[in-house]
Amino acid sequence: NAVPVDCNRGVAVNGWSQGSHISSLAGNFSPLITAGLFWANGNACKFCTMSYPTCSMCASINVPCMNSNQIELPKEKRRYITGDLDSIFGACTDWFGKNNRLQAISGVSCPYSEDDCFSLNLNLGGYYVATGQKHRFMDVTPGSLFMDSNNPWGLAKNFDWLAEEAYVNIAEVRSYYDYSHKNMVTSFPTSAITRSPTSAPTVKQSIWSRFKSRIKRLIQ
């Protein structure tokens, strides 16, 4: 069934691995992008024939365009999740230094936990390092950690965050966007956040349902 879409309420983006790279740059080209959730990406990657912990026969690639100062979507509207056993964007890349790479792409330093920006900062962006998880941590099997509705790096909590943060008055956001230089402001005006009790749950439910079915198709 077709789901009604109103881009004037904002557009949420989500991606995994290379898809995270592409989706995180989407806001550089359109002011319609208002929030993003990015899984398993970074500003440097290492492809190894023997993955973590061996990490041998590797080729390294730097991806400086992923650094926060190159992403026009405000850092408060971005979330990054990566597994601590991710051979491509973590474990085989001098980890994160610890987490310097995640801090570089998110633009956020978490003073209370080097691995978790979410638990005490529920309404803003940042990053989360998922313990014991590899590059492909999106396990949609019922009962998995990814599908646990109480898990801070799980699907439910982060798609709920994504839907809430993407829902804005796009007309007001556009007034802060410089089309001549393609520059987004560093933060949205408070008045642009106009979530409606009657419409926001519908938007959230639509995003949740469509993304959940999409992830199942991609992973299965």
Side-chain angles (χ1 to χ4, degrees), residues 9 167 194-206:
R9 292 180 175 177
Y167 189 79
T194 57
R195 304 185 184 106
S196 165
T198 58
S199 57
T202 302
V203 174
K204 180 192 297 186
Q205 185 177 4
S206 298

Side-chain angles (χ1 to χ4, degrees), residues 9-67:
R9 292 180 175 177
V11 175
V13 293
N14 169 238
W16 168 70
S17 195
Q18 188 177 21
S20 284
H21 288 80
I22 296 170
S23 57
S24 63
L25 291 170
N28 290 25
F29 301 94
S30 172
L32 293 173
I33 309 300
T34 48
L37 173 62
F38 311 115
W39 294 327
N41 75 328
N43 61 0
C45 58
K46 184 173 287 187
F47 298 96
C48 301
T49 303
M50 299 297 290
S51 60
Y52 181 84
T54 304
C55 297
S56 63
M57 302 176 66
C58 302
S60 299
I61 303 174
N62 289 321
V63 195
C65 62
M66 287 297 101
N67 288 328

Side-chain angles (χ1 to χ4, degrees), residues 159-199:
F159 273 172
D160 282 350
W161 173 88
L162 182 62
E164 290 285 346
E165 294 304 314
Y167 189 79
V168 300
N169 181 345
I170 196 66
E172 191 161 347
V173 173
R174 278 182 177 145
S175 69
Y176 287 79
Y177 187 84
D178 183 349
Y179 281 91
S180 62
H181 295 91
K182 299 288 186 182
N183 290 321
M184 185 77 83
V185 290
T186 56
S187 61
F188 291 124
T190 303
S191 58
I193 308 301
T194 57
R195 304 185 184 106
S196 165
T198 58
S199 57

Side-chain angles (χ1 to χ4, degrees), residues 14-216:
N14 169 238
W16 168 70
S17 195
Q18 188 177 21
S20 284
H21 288 80
I22 296 170
S23 57
S24 63
L25 291 170
N28 290 25
F29 301 94
S30 172
L32 293 173
I33 309 300
T34 48
L37 173 62
F38 311 115
W39 294 327
N41 75 328
N43 61 0
C45 58
K46 184 173 287 187
F47 298 96
C48 301
T49 303
M50 299 297 290
S51 60
Y52 181 84
T54 304
C55 297
S56 63
M57 302 176 66
C58 302
S60 299
I61 303 174
N62 289 321
V63 195
C65 62
M66 287 297 101
N67 288 328
S68 184
N69 60 5
Q70 301 296 313
I71 306 297
E72 294 183 6
L73 185 65
K75 61 184 180 181
E76 296 86 0
K77 298 289 184 176
R78 292 183 268 132
R79 274 193 172 186
Y80 299 82
I81 302 174
T82 298
D84 67 346
L85 301 182
D86 187 333
S87 294
I88 299 175
F89 290 109
C92 288
T93 315
D94 300 323
W95 188 204
F96 290 113
K98 164 108 175 168
N99 299 341
N100 287 339
R101 296 188 187 280
L102 278 173
Q103 291 173 9
I105 63 176
S106 67
V108 174
S109 177
C110 306
Y112 47 82
S113 172
E114 64 178 357
D115 292 340
D116 174 11
C117 291
F118 297 172
S119 295
L120 298 180
N121 191 20
L122 297 178
N123 296 321
L124 296 178
Y127 65 85
Y128 194 102
V129 180
T131 303
Q133 301 302 311
K134 298 182 180 181
H135 185 59
R136 193 169 184 165
F137 57 82
M138 302 87 65
D139 179 5
V140 296
T141 304
S144 69
L145 286 173
F146 186 63
M147 299 301 289
D148 183 348
S149 60
N150 295 314
N151 183 4
W153 57 265
L155 185 67
K157 279 189 176 294
N158 286 283
F159 273 172
D160 282 350
W161 173 88
L162 182 62
E164 290 285 346
E165 294 304 314
Y167 189 79
V168 300
N169 181 345
I170 196 66
E172 191 161 347
V173 173
R174 278 182 177 145
S175 69
Y176 287 79
Y177 187 84
D178 183 349
Y179 281 91
S180 62
H181 295 91
K182 299 288 186 182
N183 290 321
M184 185 77 83
V185 290
T186 56
S187 61
F188 291 124
T190 303
S191 58
I193 308 301
T194 57
R195 304 185 184 106
S196 165
T198 58
S199 57
T202 302
V203 174
K204 180 192 297 186
Q205 185 177 4
S206 298
I207 292 176
W208 168 260
S209 300
R210 296 185 70 188
F211 281 5
K212 185 177 179 180
S213 61
R214 181 184 178 192
I215 292 300
K216 284 185 176 180

